[in-house]
Amino acid sequence: MAFDNIYKGKKVLVTGSTGFKGTWLCTWLTMLGADVYGYALGIPTQPSMFEVLDMENRMHQQFGDIRDREAFCAYVQQVRPDFLIHLAAQALVLTSYEEPFDTITTNVIGTTVVCESIRKITWDCTCILITSDKAYDNVEWIWGYRETDRLGGKDVYSGSKGAAELVIKSYWHSFIKDMPNIRLGVTRAGNVIGGGDWAKDRIVVDCIKAFSKGETVEVRSPKATRPWQHVLEPLSGYLTLGWYLAEGKCLNGEIYNFGPRAEQTKTVYELAQDLANLWELQPEIVQLTGNAPFREATLLKLNCDKALAELHWHSTLHYEDCVRFIADWYKAFYQERGKDMYRLTVSQIEEYVANAKDQQLEWAE
């Protein structure tokens, strides 16, 4: 499989390992033969993909607060990872309105703690720090944001991600860039969807919970446009960046956007309708309310030319396959009791990799 020679037999430490995105990443890494170590505050949802896939028995999991500098730095020194991938975050926009202090401390102080741990690493280590497309100062123009565009949103969540980027930049220039044993990259991605997500106030989760009970789902911002991408798309970007950094095939300390194809930009209503169709439900099950609890940006796109030019990476999964993956995963969970969900998750990763190989991506060769 792809990346075997890079991650096989290597220690990979993933923060935020019990979350939706973290569980998919840890699953892929176990498939690649990596020795996976996780660090997370706890199990974030019920149900939880981490528990459904029995990941605690497939990897080394440590529970702790990413804001606890002493504990996390000690864990890094104990594990001595070859790769460190930082995903831990408060990732929900609505929660940031309800818990602004926790959002800022988790996303900003947590990132600072990770940078502190990197500063103390004495062995060779490749580090990938993930923030968000919300870090950009979004003026809702039709062009994709480039890595050099202005950061800093108007809401707490966006501000926390922009601030995390400033922390990384300051640590990079003050300490890390002069460390010959460290290779570091920063990534931005957003609107990630896929099977196994149960976080609150997300359109896919709201749809699936309603569909599984035969209830209608209320769409609060039906005209909001998002560049939807399956979770495997940015994860392939992170793994590609780790490979390129570890082998010195790209510049150290750079930032990369990972986003979907242009045609993946659909409205929230269109996505909900497509999921209902794959669930074999009537379109009336999707109801419009327009009753959003806050104003969220209606358009945010990324320019991924840099990732294509320097990492030979681009999105490969078509929108129709993305939605099919999601529907198949949740239908298996809710309608096929006893289904091996780990095996299903692995099979979707394998299909994704096979599709990428067909498109002759360098990372999949």
Side-chain angles (χ1 to χ4, degrees):
M1 286 184 65
F3 311 118
D4 278 353
N5 294 330
I6 301 301
Y7 296 100
K8 187 174 183 179
K10 299 294 179 60
K11 291 182 179 180
V12 184
L13 172 55
V14 178
T15 73
S17 51
T18 60
F20 158 63
K21 205 172 180 181
T23 300
W24 274 96
L25 178 59
C26 290
T27 301
W28 198 341
L29 286 166
T30 60
M31 292 170 60
L32 297 173
D35 192 11
V36 185
Y37 292 77
Y39 193 92
L41 184 60
I43 304 299
T45 61
Q46 288 297 328
S48 156
M49 186 181 183
F50 188 83
E51 292 183 325
V52 168
L53 269 57
D54 192 29
M55 290 304 294
E56 195 163 358
N57 290 317
R58 302 179 191 276
M59 54 183 280
H60 312 278
Q61 178 60 42
Q62 177 75 19
F63 291 102
D65 194 326
I66 195 64
R67 296 169 289 190
D68 187 335
R69 181 178 65 171
E70 183 176 341
F72 183 71
C73 288
Y75 188 62
V76 172
Q77 291 293 317
Q78 174 190 330
V79 174
R80 296 176 65 87
D82 301 294
F83 293 87
L84 193 164
I85 304 177
H86 175 48
L87 279 170
Q90 193 302 95
L92 301 174
V93 175
L94 181 56
T95 299
S96 73
Y97 280 87
E98 299 168 346
E99 302 174 9
F101 182 82
D102 282 347
T103 298
I104 291 171
T105 55
T106 299
N107 295 349
V108 182
I109 301 303
T111 298
T112 307
V113 167
V114 172
C115 290
E116 272 287 291
S117 73
I118 293 171
R119 191 162 71 94
K120 297 177 181 180
I121 290 176
T122 56
W123 58 91
D124 290 342
C125 186
T126 299
C127 306
I128 308 297
L129 308 185
I130 291 95
T131 61
S132 170
D133 61 353
K134 301 295 192 300
Y136 290 108
D137 183 13
N138 185 12
V139 295
E140 300 192 48
W141 58 28
I142 61 173
W143 302 281
Y145 290 91
R146 297 171 299 177
E147 289 82 355
T148 53
D149 283 329
R150 187 170 63 185
L151 302 178
K154 301 175 182 64
D155 61 277
V156 169
Y157 179 75
S158 300
S160 74
K161 290 300 186 177
E165 291 266 2
L166 289 175
V167 167
I168 296 169
K169 181 179 179 180
S170 61
Y171 265 81
W172 167 255
H173 286 286
S174 298
F175 310 109
I176 301 172
K177 76 173 183 179
D178 295 323
M179 298 174 65
N181 60 310
I182 299 295
R183 306 288 297 179
L184 182 141
V186 181
T187 78
R188 300 167 187 158
N191 294 303
V192 172
I193 55 179
D197 188 6
W198 279 285
K200 64 178 183 177
D201 301 309
R202 285 181 173 166
I203 182 59
V204 168
V205 181
D206 290 348
C207 286
I208 296 306
K209 284 184 177 180
F211 296 167
S212 66
K213 300 175 183 177
E215 299 174 353
T216 60
V217 60
E218 295 185 348
V219 178
R220 295 183 295 269
S221 303
K223 295 182 180 180
T225 302
R226 298 285 183 267
W228 308 105
Q229 63 177 328
H230 193 274
V231 62
L232 292 175
E233 297 279 38
L235 294 187
S236 72
Y238 306 160
L239 293 172
T240 299
L241 179 56
W243 167 32
Y244 271 56
L245 282 169
E247 294 199 340
K249 298 171 68 172
C250 67
L251 292 175
N252 201 3
E254 290 293 303
I255 302 164
Y256 295 92
N257 288 335
F258 295 112
R261 297 168 176 268
E263 79 266 13
Q264 313 248 130
T265 300
K266 304 285 185 178
T267 66
V268 172
Y269 182 67
E270 286 174 320
L271 175 63
Q273 288 280 26
D274 291 337
L275 283 171
N277 182 56
L278 287 171
W279 211 272
E280 299 177 354
L281 298 171
Q282 295 301 313
E284 293 78 21
I285 202 163
V286 179
Q287 305 253 328
L288 310 182
T289 69
N291 187 26
F294 57 90
R295 184 189 181 279
E296 189 176 2
T298 58
L299 180 62
L300 176 57
K301 296 171 65 177
L302 296 180
N303 181 307
C304 302
D305 290 348
K306 184 178 179 182
L308 176 60
E310 298 184 9
L311 306 177
H312 300 92
W313 179 94
H314 64 79
S315 175
T316 66
L317 200 64
H318 291 282
Y319 172 77
E320 292 76 15
D321 290 324
C322 172
V323 178
R324 173 176 59 84
F325 272 24
I326 295 169
D328 287 351
W329 201 100
Y330 284 113
K331 286 176 74 174
F333 178 80
Y334 283 106
Q335 299 178 2
E336 301 178 39
R337 298 297 181 182
K339 181 81 172 184
D340 186 340
M341 297 306 296
Y342 178 81
R343 182 59 243 171
L344 175 62
T345 303
V346 166
S347 70
Q348 290 196 345
I349 295 173
E350 290 173 340
E351 182 178 342
Y352 176 83
V353 170
N355 178 66
K357 285 183 177 180
D358 287 343
Q359 297 192 37
Q360 297 182 330
L361 282 183
E362 182 175 342
W363 64 263
E365 290 178 351

